[in-house]
Amino acid sequence: MAFLEELQFTGSLGDLSFYRMRGSDKIVVRRKGGASKETIKKSPKFALPRLYMSEFGGCSTMGKEVRFMMHPLRALADYNFSGFINKSLKLIQKQDSTNALGRRAIELSKHPKLLEG
């Protein structure tokens, strides 16, 4: 991992990205990579990842609603609990054996115990 010492800017320049990493006051430099947005949306190679992305989108949307309901308790938390909620909702989603991958439902009323804690 490279760090930028003298210059102080963030953003991208060519195929390099400059950004501040959480927990560090240094600017980190990385090379851009991975598939393009258009390739992920249209390529047959990404058919399965698109199904998983769709399901995770459902978990994130439901997680937003759960966090909204917990808003009065948010001041009691000393960490970001969004990841825990999304993980729990994903476990609930995996319990749906009637729908196909990419269309599985998140049925909180059938599995309330999985959200405990």
Side-chain angles (χ1 to χ4, degrees), residues 22-112:
R22 191 178 309 160
S24 174
D25 59 343
K26 296 181 179 180
I27 296 176
V28 180
V29 182
R30 71 170 175 87
R31 183 169 294 186
K32 293 180 183 179
S36 70
K37 183 178 178 180
E38 210 46 45
T39 303
I40 292 171
K41 280 185 173 182
K42 296 185 178 182
S43 173
K45 290 181 181 179
F46 288 94
L48 186 61
R50 281 194 300 268
L51 294 175
Y52 283 111
M53 287 167 37
S54 172
E55 286 196 347
F56 186 74
C59 288
S60 295
T61 302
M62 180 65 84
K64 178 178 124 181
E65 298 301 325
V66 171
R67 285 190 308 277
F68 181 75
M69 289 184 284
M70 295 175 63
H71 186 71
L73 302 174
R74 187 168 177 97
L76 300 175
D78 57 351
Y79 63 94
N80 185 356
F81 51 85
S82 297
F84 171 76
I85 292 172
N86 285 342
K87 178 182 174 184
S88 300
L89 292 173
K90 188 66 183 164
L91 290 173
I92 292 171
Q93 190 177 48
K94 286 180 179 180
Q95 302 300 314
D96 182 3
S97 59
T98 58
N99 293 315
L101 181 66
R103 298 200 168 276
R104 295 186 289 189
I106 304 168
E107 300 170 320
L108 292 174
S109 58
K110 288 186 179 179
H111 308 284

